[in-house]
Amino acid sequence: MSPEPVIIDTVDYHTAGEPFRIVSRGLPVIAGDTVAERRAIALGAGGTATAPRPGPLDDIRRLLTHEPRGHSGMYGGFVVPADDNEAHLGVLFWHKDGYSTACGHGTIALGAWALDSGLVAAPADGPARVYIDVPSGRVTAIVHRRNGRTTSVTFRNVPTAVAARKIPVATSRGVVHVDLAHSGACYASVSATSLGLVVSPDRLPEITAIGREIRAALADEPATRHPDDPRLSGVYGVILYEDLPAGPAGPHQRNVTVFADGQIDRSPCGSGTSARLALLADSGLIGPNDELRHESIIGTVFTGRVVATHPAGVITEVTGTAQRTGEHRFILDAEDTLGTGFLL
């Protein structure tokens, strides 16, 4: 008798164009008392954020991110128990290479899903708060509702801290100066103009290559180490940004984030927007009443604000929209010789 096929049900969203595939049932037991511990266990002994050890959970990640069921830009999360009763859910964020510590666009999608699925009561009008434990701490999705519909979701992040300014990095395009900020994950920001680039889809191969190059060059940079939690250390994403004419509400930038091992964020990057906000505030370019209009490489928009200061940095809020794109049942038959798939 042939083994039973593996069956995984998902609910898929996109946040400003970036996919988020949610798995809330059918997962193997994930050991650990907190979300951060579960991520560490998922990585496995000797595993890293972009090269986890094989196992039943990682088989599911690869099944859902690899072709023919996924693609190299796929992103998603495993819904797990919260750290305590004060949060509604926990989540392990994943991408084609492994597991991340933070994800703003995913938090926005999870906020919408929590109301759509009935996990959190959905008011006809007004906001609903969804508290989510992620590997970097507790975040909040404030789901805005009007006439029985979700109109937008605001992601309130963990504190964001500027780690270093103007670090010189030698690249194949010359020496560039990079700023670092920890916003649940460590992001390196660099002006696209300083690299002779514009944030445009037709420059994507060059953008991807230089993003990977900068991330590799910063591997031993001390400022990429998180001051409190070594599990949050190391550059996760490289943000290439360009300044656009400011609007009446505040600064206007376009960006693209190259994260993990060369994956491209289609959205303006939620946690990356937090990093940009902290750097702009540190430079005096955005104030308490200002709003950043942050565009992605495909033209979608997040808006962001610095809403408070904190001993560990600044508190930011990033607002965008999430739309459900489908509900799926993925099947891996024991006779399928491609197994969990492939990446090109």
Side-chain angles (χ1 to χ4, degrees):
M1 180 185 292
S2 297
E4 291 295 317
V6 176
I7 299 175
I8 302 295
D9 293 329
T10 74
V11 181
D12 284 20
Y13 284 75
H14 83 83
T15 304
E18 177 73 355
F20 195 75
R21 180 163 282 172
I22 300 169
V23 185
S24 61
R25 298 188 306 273
L27 294 170
V29 174
I30 308 169
D33 294 327
T34 67
V35 173
E37 286 182 9
R38 290 186 183 95
R39 176 179 177 271
I41 291 169
L43 296 181
T48 68
T50 54
R53 293 294 298 272
L57 185 70
D58 206 57
D59 285 346
I60 297 173
R61 178 192 65 81
R62 287 185 285 112
L63 182 77
L64 297 178
T65 57
H66 290 192
E67 295 184 51
R69 299 165 188 85
H71 55 80
S72 60
M74 182 52 67
Y75 205 108
F78 298 135
V79 176
V80 298
D83 292 357
D84 58 45
N85 292 332
E86 299 300 316
H88 295 98
L89 68 144
V91 61
L92 296 181
F93 295 121
W94 41 259
H95 44 74
K96 71 176 176 65
D97 301 305
Y99 299 87
S100 56
T101 59
C103 179
H105 94 272
T107 300
I108 289 171
L110 284 164
W113 170 81
L115 271 66
D116 289 343
S117 66
L119 178 66
V120 175
D125 294 284
R129 290 178 178 264
V130 183
Y131 299 102
I132 304 170
D133 286 330
V134 307
S136 53
R138 181 162 293 167
V139 298
T140 306
I142 306 167
V143 185
H144 306 282
R145 303 269 296 173
R146 187 173 63 244
N147 296 328
R149 294 183 59 86
T150 295
T151 56
S152 63
V153 181
T154 297
F155 156 56
R156 177 174 276 224
N157 201 4
V158 298
T160 298
V162 174
R165 303 300 302 253
K166 299 187 182 305
I167 299 173
V169 176
T171 77
S172 58
R173 291 174 171 264
V175 176
V176 294
H177 291 88
V178 174
D179 298 323
L180 294 174
H182 290 277
S183 57
C186 183
Y187 287 89
S189 286
V190 60
S191 163
T193 304
S194 71
L195 291 162
L197 291 169
V198 293
V199 179
S200 172
D202 61 358
R203 307 298 294 272
L204 199 53
E206 297 166 273
I207 288 168
T208 304
I210 198 66
R212 296 179 73 178
E213 190 177 332
I214 291 170
R215 181 174 180 267
L218 291 168
D220 297 321
E221 169 57 47
T224 68
R225 299 172 193 152
H226 194 275
D228 301 317
D229 188 345
R231 295 173 297 190
L232 306 180
S233 296
V235 173
Y236 169 64
V238 176
I239 303 171
L240 281 72
Y241 69 90
E242 57 183 333
D243 289 301
L244 301 175
H252 184 189
Q253 293 186 337
R254 180 182 297 120
N255 90 99
V256 60
T257 299
V258 184
F259 67 94
D261 188 18
Q263 192 161 333
I264 297 296
D265 198 328
R266 277 76 170 156
S267 81
C269 188
S271 301
T273 299
S274 290
R276 294 299 307 143
L277 285 164
L279 291 164
L280 288 167
D282 184 65
S283 301
L285 297 176
I286 193 167
N289 298 315
D290 295 333
E291 183 177 84
L292 169 66
R293 180 179 173 86
H294 213 203
E295 287 189 23
S296 73
I297 194 168
I298 63 169
T300 54
V301 176
F302 287 160
T303 57
R305 302 184 301 140
V306 176
V307 297
T309 58
H310 186 278
V314 295
I315 303 299
T316 62
E317 289 186 347
V318 178
T319 300
T321 59
Q323 303 292 335
R324 184 164 43 181
T325 60
E327 299 181 8
H328 304 283
R329 171 160 289 183
F330 294 103
I331 298 171
L332 174 58
D333 192 281
E335 302 298 322
D336 187 342
T337 57
L338 279 179
T340 55
F342 60 92
L343 288 172
L344 292 179

